[in-house]
Amino acid sequence: MISLKPYILFLILIFISFFANNFLLFVNSITSSSSPDNEYTTFFDAVTSINPKASLNAGKNQTSLSASRGSSSCEVWDVTCSEAVLGLARKSENVEWIKGLRRKIHENPELAFEEYETSKLVRAELDRMEIEYRYPLAKTGIRAWIGTGGPPFVAIRADMDALPIQEAVEWEHKSKVPGKMHACGHDAHVAMLVGAAKILKNRVHLLKGTVILLFQPAEEAGNGAKRMIGDGALESVEAIFAVHVSHEHPTAIIGSRPGPLLAGCGFFRAVISGRKGLAGNPHHAVDPILAASAAVISLQGIVSRESNPLDSQVVSVTSFNGGNNLDLIPDTVVIGGTFRAFSNASFYNLLQRIEEVVVEQAGVFRCLATVDFFEKESTIYPPTVNDDRMYEHVKKVATDLLGPPNFRVVPPMMGAEDFSFYSQVVPAAFYYIGVRNETLGSIHTGHSPYFMIDEDVLPIGAAVHATIAERYLIEHG
């Protein structure tokens, strides 16, 4: 019997050859108008043209692939990453949006623990960006988060409260609330943090952990930070950062320093009690004015004779109230003032010595004295001390993002901030961003009725915030 296998193999070879030749003619016909170096894309298009749905899906995949190839993962931060963040911040629509947000807040200032509308506005923006949050903390505060939902966790904080000051700046967006004003830049702080949220949401696929956004009430009075911590603001947080606008520096200049940056601040009120009597017969009275005067003088010796001259401290008596009858020695005198120091040890030593000096000096003159430090009213602010590593992180980010000339090491200041409470719990860094612009009239310091800012700082502040957070996650993830 003759085998059929050779004939079958022969027919198969003829069929393959025929199919191959026609297939090449087909490909040549559809690539004749295309560039030779684009043959793989053209071939893919030709095949999928048979199935329009497949073509649509393929186009989506190509776009995604192209985007991923054209962008840096930023695991090693480079100039491309900085330009991407700044590019987002400086887009014209984003600049107008962040300025508009700040102006709305400025027009409607709210005092400590009354920031209901400000908080509502922030939450509305977070909702639009589909950013999750928890509310309320510390009555009006917000804790939002962006990223993987897992560690590491890094926090950025903005304060929201205004001051009981009548605005004297005449402009389109002047405060609409009599006797209340954003005279310390907290409206800008909120806008910059919401702006940072927008940038981070856009770059969420690059985040190597979770960014916590803290919108805090009552920095100016009431220690909102302390309440926020008590309500869980720092849960799982490994580090925290915050900014404050400053008229000491030109617009967008970043300033900070390692170690103590802002002083601890406390207030005292001493009541010195004696026995009233006629001024013409002082031997029948126990004179609290003499005792209070001696106490005021002795208080100055705490700093000048008990403190290290290289450890800056302040004790200032700013109030002295006695009787109002020129012919009568009063039975009580009330004095009060403030004290400041750059370390916790020095700060609490001042507190102790103020009480000792007032009470003992009163005793010398047969009077009694009590000293109140308003601890129940939460008016004691510890020193704000920057962690060395967190300071270096801020410096590196600012230098890479804005250039070395735009970062400055600043001296310590005797002002106080309740951000200090956060810095006592986790490594922290506080920094300034300049808003000084003499052409605009942005030259007045905080708590002035003429306070204003250069709004060009807003997108830059948002970019710095976002980059501090993103790079922290990269380096600690």
Side-chain angles (χ1 to χ4, degrees):
M1 179 180 284
I2 298 174
S3 173
L4 295 177
K5 287 183 179 180
Y7 296 97
I8 294 171
L9 290 171
F10 179 74
L11 290 172
I12 290 171
L13 289 171
I14 291 174
F15 178 79
I16 291 172
S17 175
F18 176 81
F19 178 81
N21 286 334
N22 280 278
F23 182 78
L24 289 172
L25 288 172
F26 173 69
V27 170
N28 286 335
S29 69
I30 63 175
T31 60
S32 59
S33 62
S34 302
S35 172
D37 59 2
N38 199 31
E39 62 186 78
Y40 296 107
T41 304
T42 309
F43 171 72
F44 184 82
D45 290 341
V47 174
T48 55
S49 66
I50 301 169
N51 184 346
K53 186 174 181 181
S55 179
L56 179 62
N57 290 335
K60 288 182 179 179
N61 289 337
Q62 284 178 317
T63 301
S64 176
L65 181 62
S66 173
S68 66
R69 284 176 178 171
S71 64
S72 168
S73 68
C74 291
E75 290 185 8
V76 177
W77 197 269
D78 57 23
V79 66
T80 304
C81 303
S82 294
E83 288 174 350
V85 173
L86 286 172
L88 284 170
R90 287 171 170 164
K91 287 179 71 173
S92 58
E93 60 267 33
N94 288 340
V95 171
E96 291 307 308
W97 165 76
I98 198 171
K99 287 183 178 180
L101 183 63
R102 182 256 166 174
R103 290 168 180 176
K104 286 179 184 177
I105 298 170
H106 189 88
E107 289 176 352
N108 299 282
E110 297 171 298
L111 301 183
F113 295 120
E114 298 175 1
E115 308 92 336
Y116 294 105
E117 292 303 314
T118 304
S119 181
K120 183 178 178 181
L121 178 62
V122 170
R123 297 196 311 275
E125 293 296 335
L126 295 175
D127 287 337
R128 287 190 189 95
M129 290 184 270
E130 298 183 346
I131 294 173
E132 294 182 272
Y133 58 84
R134 182 159 67 90
Y135 169 86
L137 285 76
K139 201 170 184 179
T140 60
I142 304 164
R143 185 185 196 264
W145 54 90
I146 306 172
T148 65
F153 292 84
V154 61
I156 317 172
R157 169 271 207 172
D159 38 14
M160 301 189 293
D161 54 322
L163 287 160
I165 294 174
Q166 179 64 43
E167 182 167 7
V169 182
E170 295 299 333
W171 68 305
E172 185 181 355
H173 301 285
K174 181 179 179 179
S175 170
K176 296 178 179 179
V177 184
K180 298 179 184 179
M181 176 190 177
H182 272 290
C184 202
H186 296 188
D187 51 344
H189 300 168
V190 173
M192 287 189 285
L193 186 51
V194 178
K198 193 168 192 175
I199 295 170
L200 290 166
K201 184 66 175 179
N202 189 277
R203 296 172 62 83
V204 67
H205 59 290
L206 299 173
L207 299 182
K208 307 300 181 184
T210 307
V211 182
I212 304 296
L213 311 173
L214 299 179
F215 297 90
Q216 176 208 306
E219 185 278 325
E220 297 289 357
N223 284 346
K226 201 172 183 179
R227 295 265 302 265
M228 289 283 286
I229 294 168
D231 285 349
L234 293 183
E235 181 180 348
S236 300
V237 169
E238 300 173 13
I240 186 168
F241 301 87
V243 71
H244 203 295
V245 295
S246 170
H247 286 83
E248 299 290 326
H249 311 291
T251 299
I253 296 292
I254 305 297
S256 190
R257 68 175 296 105
L261 177 67
L262 291 164
C265 172
F267 298 92
F268 66 92
R269 177 179 181 272
V271 178
I272 300 170
S273 302
R275 185 173 66 246
K276 67 180 176 182
L278 293 173
N281 295 299
H283 57 294
H284 293 307
V286 176
D287 192 349
I289 289 181
L290 187 59
S293 300
V296 170
I297 294 171
S298 296
L299 286 172
Q300 306 311 306
I302 297 174
V303 173
S304 68
R305 289 298 176 266
E306 298 180 17
S307 302
N308 186 334
L310 301 179
D311 180 12
S312 299
Q313 299 175 35
V314 169
V315 175
S316 292
V317 178
T318 58
S319 174
F320 192 116
N321 295 296
N324 54 16
N325 187 326
L326 300 182
D327 195 37
L328 190 69
I329 295 171
D331 54 358
T332 60
V333 170
V334 179
I335 64 173
T338 184
F339 57 104
R340 316 256 169 145
F342 283 107
S343 72
N344 280 314
S346 298
F347 181 77
Y348 286 103
N349 180 67
L350 285 181
L351 185 151
Q352 178 183 335
R353 289 295 293 136
I354 288 169
E355 183 169 26
E356 290 173 351
V357 167
V358 172
V359 171
E360 296 301 325
Q361 279 291 352
V364 169
F365 293 91
R366 299 178 296 149
C367 292
L368 299 174
T370 59
V371 184
D372 182 9
F373 292 99
F374 306 104
E375 291 172 284
K376 291 182 179 179
E377 288 82 2
S378 298
T379 59
I380 289 180
Y381 288 51
T384 300
V385 181
N386 280 343
D387 178 86
D388 288 351
R389 292 176 299 117
M390 299 306 107
Y391 159 78
E392 289 295 338
H393 182 70
V394 170
K395 179 181 178 181
K396 175 176 59 182
V397 166
T399 300
D400 290 349
L401 191 68
L402 306 176
N406 292 312
F407 179 84
R408 298 178 181 177
V409 180
V410 300
M413 293 179 60
M414 279 294 174
E417 243 280 353
D418 79 345
F419 183 77
S420 56
F421 287 102
Y422 299 115
S423 71
Q424 290 188 321
V425 180
V426 295
F430 193 80
Y431 65 98
Y432 303 113
I433 189 165
V435 293
R436 187 176 186 85
N437 185 325
E438 295 181 6
T439 302
L440 294 177
S442 180
I443 58 174
H444 300 281
T445 60
H447 296 222
S448 164
Y450 297 98
F451 177 91
M452 64 179 298
I453 70 164
D454 180 355
E455 290 185 320
D456 286 346
V457 77
L458 299 175
I460 303 302
V464 174
H465 265 333
T467 308
I468 284 173
E470 183 177 339
R471 291 189 68 175
Y472 180 91
L473 297 180
I474 291 170
E475 293 167 17
H476 294 81

